[in-house]
Amino acid sequence: MTATCSTGVHDKHDVYAAQCPCREVLDLLANKWAALAIGALEDGPLRFGELQRRLQGISPKVLTGTLRRLEDSGFLHREIYPAVPLHVEYSLTPLGRSVSVPLASLRTWVEAHLHEIS
């Protein structure tokens, strides 16, 4: 299925086309850590350490890279508070909140059907 580009930058959007920029976004959102980070932020802003504790098993390096990619793509907002030590919070942008809905459905589906998957 293709969609017309509302910005006029591209002819159309087709995730099946090799050169479509949609592929980069799909690659980012299909990453387990990105999907889980977005889910962890659904209830409100969290600091880096809180996110790392919530996303059990993620290394600080991977979390940093994931948060940077999500922020660069417009899914997250990073708020820096001038304090000692530095206080940084991450929150979902409106775009991030909109994508959290289908990602939440996917997480729920995986938990409900895990027993059926070999």
Side-chain angles (χ1 to χ4, degrees), residues 89-106:
E89 283 187 347
Y90 297 89
S91 61
L92 294 176
T93 62
L95 185 64
R97 281 191 293 281
S98 72
V99 79
S100 73
V101 175
L103 289 176
S105 295
L106 180 59

Side-chain angles (χ1 to χ4, degrees), residues 23-97:
R23 290 251 182 123
E24 292 176 31
V25 178
L26 185 60
D27 185 49
L28 172 61
L29 295 175
N31 174 281
K32 74 176 174 184
W33 295 122
L36 291 172
I38 289 171
L41 292 166
E42 286 174 339
D43 293 331
L46 293 173
R47 294 174 72 172
F48 186 90
E50 294 169 320
L51 271 168
Q52 189 176 11
R53 283 188 292 280
R54 179 78 173 107
L55 305 179
Q56 296 176 15
I58 192 169
S59 71
K61 180 180 177 180
V62 171
L63 180 55
T64 297
T66 300
L67 294 173
R68 282 186 184 153
R69 286 190 304 278
L70 289 170
E71 181 184 10
D72 290 345
S73 299
F75 295 108
L76 295 185
H77 174 71
R78 182 175 179 250
E79 184 74 31
I80 302 170
Y81 296 93
V84 178
L86 197 61
H87 179 103
V88 179
E89 283 187 347
Y90 297 89
S91 61
L92 294 176
T93 62
L95 185 64
R97 281 191 293 281

